[in-house]
Amino acid sequence: MTTARRALASLATFALALGLLAAAAGAQPAGTLLVGLVAEPVNLDPAQVTDLNSNRVGRRIVESLVAFPDESTQVVPGLAESWTISNDGLQYTFKLRSGVKFHDGTPLNAEAVKFSIERQINPEHPANKLGKYPFANYNFGNVKAVEVLSTERVAFLLKEPRASFLAVLTSGAAAIVSPTAAMKWGPDYPSHPVGTGPFRFTSWDRGQRVVLEKNPTYWKHPVKIERVIYRPIVEDQARLTELLTGQLDLIVGVPADFVGPLEKDPKVSVLKQTGAHVWYLGMNNQKKPFDDKRVRQALNYAVNKDAIVRDVLKGTGSLSKGPVLPGTWGADAALKAYPYDPQQAKKLLAEAGYPNGFTTTLWVPESGSGMQAPVAMSTVMQSNLKAVGVNVTLQTMEWGAYLTKLRSKEQELFALSWMAGTEDPDMVMYPLLHSSQWTPVGPNRALYKNARFDELLQQARLTTDQAKRAQLYREAQRILVDDAPWVFVDHEIQIAAFAKRVQGFKLHPSFDLRVETISLK
């Protein structure tokens, strides 16, 4: 029997001993869905969120003007029932749905849209100092103004065209919040979010659970479950045990060893889907020795990415050549991944003046959204790097503290991932690698800068011709592979496991966890 099968068998035996498996469906409160997350949400104000766990919870509460339908990243109407784009690409005008209300009873209107966006970009806005808006510059730096045309019509005036602007408006930061609630709670609004979504916020017991209840007057469709309870369970096997013992209905972050056996287990269902995700080992490009391209290239040769995907992720990830998901319209099919070549790594290190290697520190989160198996993956990389003379000390941190620490610019090496939410390369390459997005202004935590790369990304934003955009992005990706600001590792195949009583659940390529589609048997 394989290790995975033995482990799963022991879990099942434990569950049976507790007498819970047979009564799993009946053990849960009627109408309550229990969801196991890989880490606790950090913040439930959508404009301040930088992590997927917060997004997965918060996006049940708030909505945006445009959205993605189930199982697709094609933009469709959301809170706006229609829109028009001016011929010069500088004005986007939206017609809002009539009669939609926030959970506090106040109306959704054009003023609320203006408030939700301008609080992030206008330093004089009364809500601007009530929070930190890390993606404001990336998402809305191109917005000159948001104009109220009528109660139900609102216009975004842009400084210059941006081909990905509708995709931007599907993001969490573009969600529309209740101005009344935001001003009432002030700095505490992230703990008291109010939107128009399928669920309304009820309570947050820090470290234990977040509780949402259905919005009985949801405009889109009746919500079929009464409430959702999200529980942060960092340890993978503990999360799986609670699913098998009926204490959870749905989990994400299934340990790779257990995917195969779970697929054969009649008590649970498993869904798998490749999403717009990238996992990488970041390097501080402004700090020695990582300011030398030869050192960065050496680390790419030194890390055995195939072994990580094969032995750690066990089929739950696909090898990365760069930040853009292979097979999508902006990817470069001719791009070559760095092969595992320790001798070439040593040669480059010697050329860079480090024939005996060097010592450095790798920051690693204990878990986190999209982080797969961060400690196990980083341990393999630590071993690989030691083999070429680079001695790495691992420093692990809790997810929220980790994200805060990365704003300091003190990092040397760091493990991180990114969910773009869409296939548009602008949504991964620009925020993570354009020089205007250096942390803490944006999420370019590698502090990478290349003038030609920046120029290509800007040109790609200004054209709506997808073929021309793809050509520009392909050139940009070739620059990245040569510059090697990261060690490119893998793209996650997202996996969810859930009890048989859960009906109607679907994975989404954006990694959004859409529990509003669920009904319970």
Side-chain angles (χ1 to χ4, degrees), residues 56-363:
R56 282 172 160 167
V57 177
R59 291 307 295 270
R60 315 283 64 79
I61 301 166
V62 297
E63 298 175 292
S64 47
L65 296 176
V66 292
F68 294 139
D70 292 344
E71 301 178 287
S72 168
T73 57
Q74 181 69 40
V75 175
V76 298
L79 289 177
E81 61 183 24
S82 62
W83 61 88
T84 58
I85 306 171
S86 64
N87 290 334
D88 60 8
L90 294 178
Q91 180 166 327
Y92 287 67
T93 304
F94 295 89
K95 169 65 171 65
L96 303 182
R97 296 184 186 277
S98 300
V100 177
K101 292 187 176 182
F102 292 106
H103 302 149
D104 59 5
T106 58
L108 167 74
N109 54 31
E111 289 287 355
V113 176
K114 180 180 176 69
F115 176 95
S116 297
I117 305 304
E118 290 201 342
R119 67 179 176 135
Q120 302 177 54
I121 58 175
N122 179 2
E124 304 304 317
H125 193 280
N128 181 259
K129 301 298 190 295
L130 300 179
K132 296 178 180 178
Y133 308 108
F135 296 141
N137 176 265
Y138 166 68
N139 283 317
F140 308 118
N142 189 34
V143 175
K144 182 164 61 176
V146 182
E147 288 192 354
V148 173
L149 304 179
S150 70
T151 302
E152 295 181 353
R153 293 180 68 246
V154 62
F156 287 72
L157 306 182
L158 306 187
K159 299 172 186 175
E160 59 186 11
R162 181 173 178 182
S164 62
F165 191 62
L166 282 178
V168 167
L169 292 181
T170 67
S171 69
I176 311 305
V177 303
S178 163
T180 301
M183 295 309 296
K184 171 186 175 182
W185 291 104
D188 291 330
Y189 176 74
S191 299
H192 300 86
V194 177
T196 60
F199 294 92
R200 56 191 183 190
F201 176 81
T202 299
S203 64
W204 188 350
D205 182 5
R206 298 281 175 170
Q208 299 298 318
R209 67 191 63 228
V210 178
V211 182
L212 309 182
E213 292 186 349
K214 79 172 183 179
N215 176 2
T217 59
Y218 185 46
W219 63 269
K220 192 173 183 180
H221 55 71
V223 180
K224 297 178 181 178
I225 53 179
E226 295 299 318
R227 68 191 57 80
V228 188
I229 298 176
Y230 296 92
R231 293 181 49 217
I233 304 174
V234 173
E235 207 280 312
D236 287 336
Q237 193 153 309
R239 202 163 52 249
L240 181 58
T241 299
E242 294 213 20
L243 174 71
L244 291 173
T245 57
Q247 297 173 73
L248 291 173
D249 293 308
L250 168 66
I251 66 170
V252 289
V254 178
D257 278 338
F258 298 105
V259 174
L262 272 180
E263 288 178 317
K264 298 179 177 66
D265 192 318
K267 296 174 291 297
V268 297
S269 298
V270 177
L271 288 181
K272 296 195 293 187
Q273 184 182 72
T274 302
H277 163 279
V278 63
W279 199 107
Y280 61 95
L281 176 68
M283 297 174 255
N284 188 334
N285 286 225
Q286 302 304 310
K287 182 177 284 191
K288 289 186 179 296
F290 308 107
D291 58 344
D292 190 320
K293 181 170 72 173
R294 293 167 298 184
V295 171
R296 301 194 302 267
Q297 290 176 336
L299 267 61
N300 270 275
Y301 283 114
V303 172
N304 191 342
K305 297 167 284 291
D306 290 287
I308 291 172
V309 170
R310 182 186 66 242
D311 300 332
V312 178
L313 300 178
K314 294 181 167 61
T316 63
S318 60
L319 197 66
S320 171
K321 303 174 186 176
V324 180
L325 187 67
T328 56
W329 65 264
D332 183 358
L335 210 61
K336 301 294 183 186
Y338 277 88
Y340 176 51
D341 190 340
Q343 292 309 310
Q344 179 65 11
K346 290 179 181 178
K347 179 174 179 291
L348 285 166
L349 287 172
E351 289 176 5
Y354 301 94
N356 299 315
F358 57 89
T359 299
T360 188
T361 299
L362 167 55
W363 292 355

Side-chain angles (χ1 to χ4, degrees), residues 50 134-135 138 162 276-280 282-283 285 322-324 406 414 416-420 425-439 441-449 453-454 457 461 480 485-486 488 491:
T50 60
F135 296 141
Y138 166 68
R162 181 173 178 182
H277 163 279
V278 63
W279 199 107
Y280 61 95
M283 297 174 255
N285 286 225
V324 180
L406 282 170
F414 60 97
L416 206 56
S417 69
W418 179 260
M419 275 82 165
D426 181 64
M427 303 296 277
V428 60
M429 295 176 75
Y430 198 102
L432 293 185
L433 294 157
H434 193 279
S435 64
S436 68
Q437 301 301 304
W438 278 17
T439 190
V441 173
N444 181 350
R445 299 173 176 102
L447 306 179
Y448 173 64
K449 182 175 184 177
F453 177 83
D454 283 356
L457 294 197
R461 283 184 156 196
L480 275 186
W486 307 340
F488 309 104
H491 305 282

